[in-house]
Amino acid sequence: MDSHQLLIDHISEIVSLDDSIKSLIRERFIPRHLKKKEMLLYKGDVSHHMRFIAEGCLRNYNIDENAQEHILQFAVKGWWINDLYSYLTETPATFFIQALEDSVVLQISKNELTKLFDEAPALERFYRIKFENAYVALQNRTIHGMSKPIEERYSDFRNTYPEIEQRVPQFMIASYLGITPESLSRVRKRMSSK
Amino acid sequence: MDSHQLLIDHISEIVSLDDSIKSLIRERFIPRHLKKKEMLLYKGDVSHHMRFIAEGCLRNYNIDENAQEHILQFAVKGWWINDLYSYLTETPATFFIQALEDSVVLQISKNELTKLFDEAPALERFYRIKFENAYVALQNRTIHGMSKPIEERYSDFRNTYPEIEQRVPQFMIASYLGITPESLSRVRKRMSSK
DNA sequence: ATGACTTCTTGATTTGAGTCAATGAATTAG
DNA sequence: CTAATTCATTGACTCAAATCAAGAAGTCAT
């Protein structure tokens, strides 16, 4: 399926779009192709685009003072990826975004998107709902990440993102869960033995 | 200072309000007085109001399957408190909100506020900005909560919320930081000895 | 195909936070 | 004001995950 059709179907799951809006979406969302390991956004740069993944897999991560990587989000086809705060406030990004596989993202600049909102209120509604979801997803992660034992967090991850588990190296999943690769390896062993 | 004036000053720090809007704010935000330990919102109820704290101190917390409390947020005079997801989507709240001191909140129902947005676009803008901030505050907590050692998280907390540290019992701060009261007590001892 | 690098696993050890238990201090209620 | 309750501290112990280290398996580049 072509990238734009995927995006249109994705949006249409939440709001209905008439044909003129669909055309606008096809015009204004620009495909960008990324090689594996290519960076989509650097920490410190301003994120000027809203980005939809049409193909591939990316990660959103931070590098702390001790040069330790911490993965915040994985995203695959049909997801959105961004440093939302940077995008919203037009301040330097606090994360990196990198392709983990050859990927295609459809991106639209904030200016263009703002204009599009005037022409297509349905689209604005779509984003409002997306933002709400983003907020609550983050909130759930904050709460649950807090208390639950690793074993449980790992199986939650597997259940929530079955596609991702297959495609992402294990040490990155460990980073996402906030544990060492060694610990994850042991958790897996424990879990498989029963 | 009267409660509504505090709210008006607070909003005016971000957007400018003309006198007619100020009057509307005085009319539509209704004060609610809470005794210490009184509940403002129960898990399972829908949060129908946006709430500004004019006096006192409250907490937002969850109780997990093991009857363990986890505090997500403290809030004092000049802050907002809500179960945002419940409010936004009109679904049952996932948290409790409780007064930790005798408190006064100014609250407005979602319906009223939505109407007010039509009369006062500046107000809508104010909330958009507030929501962005809420998202990023949560994001920071998620990231940092993940990796940093307890000692550092505790001093971050002290620096970010100096007022709160004075007013909230220590075991609640421990809960907010995701550790036991015993551990916090030991961290404090370690920190004071150097 | 070969060597170089990356990733995963496993073992030994250390460490930091949790648990349990007791005591003392501080708040609250009557 | 006193008793009851709640809260903070401390000690002894346990345990889960981190760290350190080595080796096996897998992947990539030439």
Side-chain angles (χ1 to χ4, degrees):
Chain A
M1 196 195 315
D2 88 277
S3 300
H4 288 93
Q5 191 56 47
L6 189 72
L7 172 57
I8 288 165
D9 289 352
H10 169 78
I11 298 172
S12 299
E13 278 175 27
I14 293 184
V15 295
S16 65
L17 299 172
D18 63 34
D19 287 349
S20 66
I21 304 306
K22 289 181 187 174
S23 307
L24 286 172
I25 290 174
R26 288 184 181 280
E27 278 169 34
R28 310 273 171 87
F29 277 86
I30 311 298
R32 179 166 167 191
H33 295 257
L34 296 147
K35 288 268 167 235
K36 182 170 179 171
K37 296 194 180 170
E38 196 175 339
M39 301 303 294
L40 179 56
L41 180 73
Y42 285 92
K43 184 171 179 172
D45 291 351
V46 175
S47 174
H48 291 295
H49 297 82
M50 198 58 109
R51 302 182 178 96
F52 176 78
I53 303 170
E55 199 52 63
C57 181
L58 297 93
R59 66 171 176 154
N60 193 325
Y61 67 102
N62 182 233
I63 299 180
D64 72 17
E65 318 82 59
N66 313 315
Q68 281 284 119
E69 283 184 13
H70 300 280
I71 296 179
L72 284 108
Q73 188 203 353
F74 295 110
V76 293
K77 175 157 75 170
W79 294 44
W80 297 78
I81 196 159
N82 212 342
D83 184 319
L84 266 184
Y85 186 69
S86 172
Y87 173 84
L88 290 168
T89 63
E90 306 184 55
T91 54
T94 54
F95 314 120
F96 299 89
I97 299 177
Q98 183 190 38
L100 297 177
E101 304 173 355
D102 293 354
S103 302
V104 181
V105 305
L106 291 177
Q107 58 178 35
I108 185 169
S109 74
K110 192 173 179 179
N111 283 342
E112 285 289 338
L113 184 57
T114 307
K115 278 193 264 166
L116 212 51
F117 285 163
D118 294 330
E119 301 168 75
L123 204 59
E124 183 157 22
R125 172 160 219 207
F126 170 81
Y127 280 104
R128 197 207 71 218
I129 292 168
K130 276 285 154 192
F131 273 77
E132 290 173 6
N133 292 348
Y135 183 87
V136 81
L138 188 58
Q139 199 170 53
N140 280 331
R141 210 184 148 201
T142 306
I143 305 158
H144 297 135
M146 213 87 202
S147 45
K148 290 194 183 177
I150 288 181
E151 204 154 327
E152 209 168 328
R153 279 191 276 153
Y154 177 55
S155 43
D156 285 354
F157 173 79
R158 300 179 84 166
N159 296 332
T160 315
Y161 311 114
E163 340 88 276
I164 288 173
E165 225 224 325
Q166 314 302 323
R167 295 161 70 176
V168 168
Q170 213 168 288
F171 75 94
M172 286 194 185
I173 294 174
S175 166
Y176 176 86
L177 295 171
I179 59 175
T180 60
E182 293 96 325
S183 291
L184 181 56
S185 175
R186 286 176 181 120
V187 166
R188 284 162 55 86
K189 195 180 177 187
R190 256 185 277 146
M191 287 171 75
S192 64
S193 70
K194 52 175 183 185
Chain B
M1 197 196 315
D2 88 276
S3 300
H4 287 94
Q5 191 57 47
L6 189 72
L7 172 57
I8 287 165
D9 290 352
H10 169 79
I11 297 172
S12 300
E13 278 175 27
I14 293 183
V15 295
S16 65
L17 299 171
D18 63 34
D19 287 350
S20 66
I21 303 306
K22 290 181 186 173
S23 307
L24 286 172
I25 289 174
R26 288 185 180 281
E27 278 169 33
R28 310 273 170 87
F29 277 85
I30 311 298
R32 178 164 167 192
H33 296 256
L34 295 146
K35 289 268 168 232
K36 183 170 178 171
K37 296 194 181 171
E38 196 176 337
M39 302 302 294
L40 179 56
L41 180 72
Y42 285 92
K43 185 171 178 171
D45 291 352
V46 175
S47 174
H48 292 293
H49 297 82
M50 199 56 110
R51 302 184 178 95
F52 175 78
I53 303 170
E55 199 53 63
C57 180
L58 298 93
R59 65 169 175 155
N60 193 326
Y61 68 101
N62 181 233
I63 299 180
D64 72 17
E65 318 83 56
N66 313 316
Q68 281 283 119
E69 283 185 12
H70 300 280
I71 295 178
L72 283 108
Q73 187 203 356
F74 295 110
V76 293
K77 174 157 77 170
W79 296 42
W80 297 79
I81 197 160
N82 213 342
D83 183 320
L84 266 186
Y85 186 71
S86 171
Y87 173 84
L88 290 169
T89 62
E90 305 185 56
T91 54
T94 54
F95 313 118
F96 299 89
I97 299 177
Q98 184 190 38
L100 297 176
E101 303 173 355
D102 292 354
S103 301
V104 181
V105 305
L106 292 177
Q107 58 178 35
I108 185 170
S109 73
K110 192 172 179 177
N111 283 343
E112 286 289 338
L113 184 57
T114 307
K115 277 192 264 167
L116 213 50
F117 284 163
D118 294 329
E119 300 169 77
L123 204 60
E124 183 156 21
R125 172 159 218 208
F126 170 81
Y127 279 105
R128 198 209 70 218
I129 293 168
K130 276 285 156 193
F131 273 77
E132 291 172 5
N133 293 347
Y135 182 87
V136 81
L138 188 58
Q139 199 172 54
N140 280 331
R141 211 185 147 200
T142 306
I143 306 157
H144 298 134
M146 213 85 203
S147 45
K148 289 193 182 177
I150 289 181
E151 204 153 328
E152 209 168 329
R153 279 191 276 153
Y154 177 55
S155 46
D156 285 353
F157 173 79
R158 301 179 85 165
N159 295 332
T160 316
Y161 312 113
E163 340 87 280
I164 288 173
E165 224 223 325
Q166 314 303 322
R167 295 160 71 176
V168 168
Q170 214 168 285
F171 75 95
M172 287 192 186
I173 294 173
S175 166
Y176 177 86
L177 295 172
I179 59 175
T180 60
E182 292 96 324
S183 291
L184 181 55
S185 175
R186 286 176 182 122
V187 167
R188 283 162 56 85
K189 195 178 175 187
R190 255 185 278 147
M191 286 172 77
S192 64
S193 71
K194 52 173 180 186

